[in-house]
């Protein structure tokens, strides 16, 4: 299972990196907005699966935090794209993220109890790490609109906080 | 056999603490939370003072003492307060975003 998670993560890094590096072109603001929004939605879906399956108090509290925070961030993102009259544009990175998340959801669906909790939290650590590095290295430097860049920077701090929070929950599960 | 002395000491300590509960000049000290940062990062206050955390963010945060003495939830765009009842140096953080850290020094 561990090896599987690493493989999925490596694939995600390659896919997102590959898609972002495609033809050396930087993602455009409409694409960046789509990627950031998608990343948030996928984490909300993962949390909802957890709220259906997990009975662990700390894991459920973490999942509730993810739903609340990512819903709040995505609301800001939607308000901003509306204000800027930008239409988020689907792209290979968003598609790759969605595909990977669906595969992970299917994998987690087969687990239950402590095995599920551990796998969910381990994936949350890995997922936030991947999104943080995409934000830091690609999305923030590529964003041309100052307000979008600003929201992504706030998003990075939030996601880094989630990563630490997930690491803390993971250490409690051991 | 009965450990009377520690009990009495405890009572005296509680009584003494009570004397400090109504200081003449209790102050309200504001800490702003903006963009996932507590400002100022370190605040000095006295027992009896009140700390008000003003949350300017669109996210919920907490001010949680690392020693678990207190835990204050601050809703988005709202303020929450805490009356200081105990002296000490309290490192605190946001439970939802543990990368947010600050310190509260409470003197008698």
């Amino acid at each position: 299972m561990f090896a599987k998670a690493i493989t999925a993560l490596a694939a995600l890094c390659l896919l997102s990196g590959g898609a972002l590096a495609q033809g050396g072109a930087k993602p455009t603001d409409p694409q960046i907005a789509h990627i950031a929004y998608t990343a948030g939605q996928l984490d909300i879906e993962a949390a909802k699966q957890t709220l259906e399956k997990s009975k662990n108090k700390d894991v459920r509290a973490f999942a509730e935090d993810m739903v609340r925070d990512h819903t709040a961030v995505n609301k800001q993102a939607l308000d901003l794209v509306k204000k800027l009259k930008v239409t988020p544009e689907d792209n290979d990175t968003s598609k790759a993220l969605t595909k990977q998340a669906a595969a992970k959801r299917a994998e987690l669906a087969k687990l239950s109890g402590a095995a599920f909790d551990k796998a969910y939290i381990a994936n949350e650590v890995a997922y936030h790490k991947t999104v943080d590095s995409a934000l830091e290295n690609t999305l923030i430097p590529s964003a041309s609109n100052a307000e979008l860049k600003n929201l992504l920077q706030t998003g990075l701090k939030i996601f880094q906080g989630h990563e630490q929070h997930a690491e803390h929950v993971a250490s409690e599960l051991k | 056999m009965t450990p009377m002395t520690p009990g009495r000491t405890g009572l005296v300590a509680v009584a003494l603490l009570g004397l400090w509960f109504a200081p003449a000049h209790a102050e309200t000290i504001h800490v702003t939370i903006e963009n996932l940062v507590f400002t100022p990062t370190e605040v000095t206050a006295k027992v009896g003072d009140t700390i008000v955390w003003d949350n300017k963010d669109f996210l919920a945060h907490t001010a949680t003492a690392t020693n678990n003495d207190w835990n204050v939830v601050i809703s988005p765009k709202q303020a929450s307060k805490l009356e200081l009842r105990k002296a000490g140096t309290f490192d605190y953080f946001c439970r939802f975003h543990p990368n947010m850290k600050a310190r509260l020094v409470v003197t008698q």
Side-chain angles (χ1 to χ4, degrees), chain A residues 10-78:
Chain A
L12 180 60
C13 293
L14 278 175
L15 280 167
S16 55
L20 289 173
Q22 217 170 48
K26 293 195 303 182
T28 62
D29 281 4
Q31 289 172 338
I32 292 169
H34 197 281
I35 295 165
Y37 186 86
T38 302
Q41 283 306 114
L42 294 172
D43 203 47
I44 291 171
E45 285 172 31
K48 284 184 174 166
Q49 181 187 36
T50 299
L51 291 171
E52 280 168 18
K53 286 181 71 93
S54 177
K55 290 185 172 65
N56 182 293
K57 188 172 145 274
D58 293 337
V59 171
R60 292 185 63 86
F62 178 84
E64 276 163 10
D65 291 345
M66 292 308 105
V67 172
R68 192 190 57 241
D69 268 14
H70 286 290
T71 302
V73 177
N74 273 358
K75 186 184 177 303
Q76 294 291 313
L78 284 185

Side-chain angles (χ1 to χ4, degrees), chain A residues 94-168:
Chain A
S94 291
K95 287 189 179 110
L97 283 169
T98 305
K99 199 177 162 194
Q100 286 295 328
K104 180 51 79 173
R105 252 196 322 277
E107 188 187 318
L108 288 177
K110 293 176 198 152
L111 303 174
S112 61
F116 172 88
D117 293 337
K118 275 191 180 181
Y120 165 66
I121 293 295
N123 188 56
E124 283 298 291
V125 173
Y127 183 75
H128 281 91
K129 269 187 186 158
T130 305
V131 174
D132 288 351
S133 109
L135 278 167
E136 216 166 355
N137 302 322
T138 310
L139 304 179
I140 291 171
S142 304
S144 52
N145 179 277
E147 283 182 86
L148 177 62
K149 202 186 266 278
N150 202 24
L151 182 59
L152 293 170
Q153 271 158 347
T154 302
L156 175 60
K157 280 196 209 170
I158 297 166
F159 288 26
Q160 284 170 336
H162 292 171
E163 182 189 324
Q164 286 188 22
H165 190 183
E167 278 165 357
H168 177 76

Side-chain angles (χ1 to χ4, degrees), chain B residues 35-81:
Chain B
N35 227 345
L36 292 97
V37 177
F38 292 107
T39 310
T41 310
E42 182 165 331
V43 161
T44 303
K46 287 191 166 68
V47 170
D49 288 351
T50 298
I51 303 291
V52 175
W53 283 276
D54 295 310
N55 184 3
K56 310 273 186 205
D57 282 345
F58 58 82
L59 303 158
H61 293 300
T62 75
T64 305
T66 50
N67 69 355
N68 288 318
D69 264 15
W70 34 266
N71 173 46
V72 180
V73 177
I74 315 122
S75 299
K77 309 282 180 190
Q78 302 286 318
S80 295
K81 59 186 180 179

